[in-house]
Amino acid sequence: MPMNVQANLAKIRKKLIRRAAQNLARGAGVRENFEQQLERFYDLLEQALTTGDPAWLDAVVYDWVNAHTQTDIVEGQKNATALLNILFTLTNEVARETLNKGEALDLITAVQPIFISSLDKAARLEMENRVAFFANEVASVQQKLERLDRSKSNFISIAAHELKTPLTLIEGYTSMLRDSSTNGDRGGNSDPLLRGVNTGIQRLRQIVDDMIDVSLIDNNMLSLNSQPLWLSHILVLLQKNLDEFLRERKLTLEIRRFPGSQEWLYADPERLYQAIQNVLTNAIKYTPDGGTITVSGRSLPGFVEVTITDTGIGISPEDQALIFEKFGKLGRADLHSTSKIKFKGGGPGLGLPITRGIIEAHGGTIWVESEGCDEKKYPGSTFHILLPVRTESSDPRLAKLFGDLTNPVEGTHVEEKTRTDHPAA
Ligand code: ADP
């Protein structure tokens, strides 16, 4: 390195620092402090020039990168790379103004690789800082969301238990009232007022039970009372129990016999009934009058798959994952209309999260397929429920029973296909 390069840098240094401070620092105090930093920078630049080692500038680059506030990081402003770029441009500018052409060129050629190496380090450090900062932000947002979800879940659990006590009281008194009016002139069950109260109580009981189920699922406390069962039996029972609603809405429910539906499955019959019922009542709710709901499935190695297809309004791709989250009810809350089976009559948005919780507690999965939501073309939706076929219970007594049941006695088969037609008039 020719000696005159260092000498020329020393010659332009004062002017350079003054100009940089004027350009970049506002206010006397800030400027003084910045000038001191620049003095240190050019001291180290001189050392780097003398030794040919750009690492002399590492310490100052490191300090500049780490001097940034969070706002600087978020906005990607006032960073060390920008500062180094400006200092290189100013060095270039002042060298051309102060030195002759040859000296200026020598100086710029000598400092350029040192600036490039420092820029490279600054950019790398800044990137690492930004990545660490945003990773931290993501973790803290995640924590906030988890806290929010916990408090939502706690609220549901407390509200459900608070509602349960007065509800049980109302149920008790209503039943006494029914009994006393049965003894009187008017028959208890035929009294329209009492029938109305009863329907309200049942709906409320359903909502409170759903809230309790959701908080059990949220806290991984859903316990299963598993036993050997036939899927086809559950489906036939559901068809019978939903018949009234199907009739009312002029819908056809076709339950096909499929491989796997006739084999013994080890699961909780009440919970499985509840899970499939939720999907079926949704299919009823979101299919216009006169539509068809088809239950079918297939047997897969180690699994049985149940599919529930409707000819309803369908679900848009972006909502397909959302509906399995609690309160994942779609549509506007102000247009919410509560109904068990009315076309598009909403509920509290707990049905599918409970269904998913039940299916997952069995080691299975649930998902939906639909071309999208279209209230004119009715593309429909297909819900898939995949259940593992467990052939053994952990309880040896049940395992024995299950072993006996896997060879069912003759005559316990169900019909090939059951169908309830309630076509539109
Ligand atoms: P709820 O029925 O109480 O609103 P769910 O958890 O059962 O809540 O369903 C969540 C949402 O998923 C519903 O509000 C509805 O928008 C959508 N959905 C569920 N099943 C269907 C279906 N078969 N067709 C169209 N949309 C559906």
Side-chain angles (χ1 to χ4, degrees):
M1 182 65 53
M3 276 308 287
N4 59 344
V5 168
Q6 281 104 308
N8 285 335
L9 179 63
K11 216 189 278 175
I12 65 164
R13 177 175 160 148
K14 234 191 170 99
K15 188 172 173 186
L16 192 51
I17 290 177
R18 214 175 322 119
R19 187 166 305 172
Q22 265 166 7
N23 279 3
L24 298 167
R26 303 263 170 274
V30 177
R31 193 169 306 153
E32 197 180 321
N33 175 287
F34 188 51
E35 277 177 1
Q36 278 169 15
Q37 290 188 40
L38 291 177
E39 293 287 358
R40 183 176 166 223
F41 177 81
Y42 281 102
D43 277 350
L44 294 169
L45 182 61
E46 269 180 40
Q47 292 293 340
L49 273 176
T50 312
T51 57
D53 181 5
W56 277 94
L57 283 163
D58 284 2
V60 70
V61 166
Y62 185 82
D63 285 352
W64 282 350
V65 168
N66 289 306
H68 293 134
T69 62
Q70 282 194 359
T71 326
D72 296 337
I73 294 174
V74 173
E75 292 172 0
Q77 279 179 357
K78 288 195 234 158
N79 50 32
T81 38
L83 180 58
L84 284 165
N85 261 323
I86 294 170
L87 288 181
F88 181 63
T89 312
L90 286 178
T91 310
N92 212 324
E93 206 176 281
V94 177
R96 283 175 200 281
E97 282 169 19
T98 321
L99 307 170
N100 69 40
K101 229 177 176 175
E103 288 172 335
L105 196 64
D106 277 351
L107 178 61
I108 292 156
T109 315
V111 296
Q112 192 178 31
I114 300 171
F115 268 97
I116 290 175
S117 158
S118 300
L119 268 166
D120 179 49
K121 273 181 198 143
R124 213 154 8 94
L125 282 171
E126 272 169 1
M127 187 52 74
E128 280 167 16
N129 271 3
R130 277 173 78 83
V131 169
F133 173 79
F134 286 115
N136 232 341
E137 285 289 285
V138 169
S140 110
V141 170
Q142 180 87 21
Q143 264 179 8
K144 273 187 205 149
L145 284 177
E146 277 166 15
R147 262 204 308 277
L148 200 70
D149 197 54
R150 260 201 309 279
S151 50
K152 215 155 92 178
S153 166
N154 287 344
F155 172 77
I156 297 173
S157 162
I158 293 167
H161 284 100
E162 287 298 321
L163 287 169
K164 212 173 146 182
T165 317
L167 183 61
T168 311
L169 276 175
I170 298 170
E171 275 172 343
Y173 283 120
T174 318
S175 146
M176 280 154 65
L177 208 61
R178 199 171 35 238
D179 288 348
S180 68
S181 91
T182 316
N183 298 332
D185 290 336
R186 292 187 296 181
N189 277 331
S190 56
D191 185 333
L193 295 179
L194 269 177
R195 264 211 320 275
V197 173
N198 229 9
T199 312
I201 291 174
Q202 275 172 15
R203 291 289 303 281
L204 197 54
R205 166 63 66 191
Q206 181 66 55
I207 293 169
V208 171
D209 285 348
D210 278 0
M211 287 164 81
I212 292 172
D213 283 349
V214 156
S215 62
L216 286 176
I217 288 165
D218 268 357
N219 295 299
N220 291 324
M221 281 169 63
L222 188 79
S223 59
L224 296 178
N225 180 14
S226 293
Q227 46 191 279
L229 58 88
W230 256 359
L231 257 178
S232 54
H233 275 178
I234 292 188
L235 295 174
V236 168
L237 199 61
L238 272 165
Q239 185 166 42
K240 196 164 146 258
N241 293 345
L242 291 172
D243 189 58
E244 186 193 331
F245 303 135
L246 294 163
R247 203 182 292 276
E248 201 174 307
R249 295 280 322 286
K250 299 184 177 63
L251 295 166
T252 300
L253 172 62
E254 186 183 308
I255 297 184
R256 293 187 184 154
R257 178 178 170 170
F258 58 91
S261 66
Q262 307 276 339
E263 280 154 38
W264 290 106
L265 195 71
Y266 189 73
D268 183 327
E270 274 183 39
R271 289 298 187 183
L272 213 52
Y273 179 96
Q274 183 186 3
I276 302 176
Q277 184 187 37
N278 282 344
V279 179
L280 280 175
T281 41
N282 276 340
I284 292 176
K285 271 197 290 192
Y286 298 99
T287 303
D289 290 11
T292 304
I293 300 157
T294 313
V295 182
S296 185
R298 58 183 172 154
S299 174
L300 296 164
F303 289 89
V304 60
E305 183 182 354
V306 184
T307 51
I308 296 150
T309 304
D310 62 51
T311 55
I313 59 171
I315 305 167
S316 69
E318 60 273 23
D319 291 332
Q320 287 174 19
L322 214 71
I323 56 173
F324 294 102
E325 300 300 323
K326 58 177 181 286
F327 303 122
K329 212 197 118 47
L330 315 172
R332 285 172 47 191
D334 55 341
L335 298 180
H336 181 96
S337 90
T338 304
S339 168
K340 211 170 148 77
I341 55 135
K342 206 175 88 181
F343 180 47
K344 293 200 289 170
L350 297 177
L352 288 179
I354 292 172
T355 301
R356 183 177 73 172
I358 293 173
I359 301 299
E360 287 180 355
H362 280 88
T365 44
I366 178 168
W367 73 98
V368 66
E369 273 177 323
S370 174
E371 278 172 27
C373 181
D374 190 328
E375 298 195 22
K376 286 198 179 88
K377 291 189 185 146
Y378 298 114
S381 313
T382 298
F383 282 80
H384 300 255
I385 297 176
L386 199 63
L387 284 167
V389 181
R390 284 205 285 133
T391 52
E392 268 177 30
S393 160
S394 49
D395 181 334
R397 285 162 308 166
L398 275 178
K400 158 94 182 56
L401 175 70
F402 188 60
D404 294 343
L405 289 174
T406 41
N407 307 307
V409 260
E410 255 182 70
T412 49
H413 68 282
V414 291
E415 292 157 53
E416 278 266 77
K417 187 165 92 175
T418 52
R419 188 181 161 100
T420 316
D421 279 309
H422 298 297

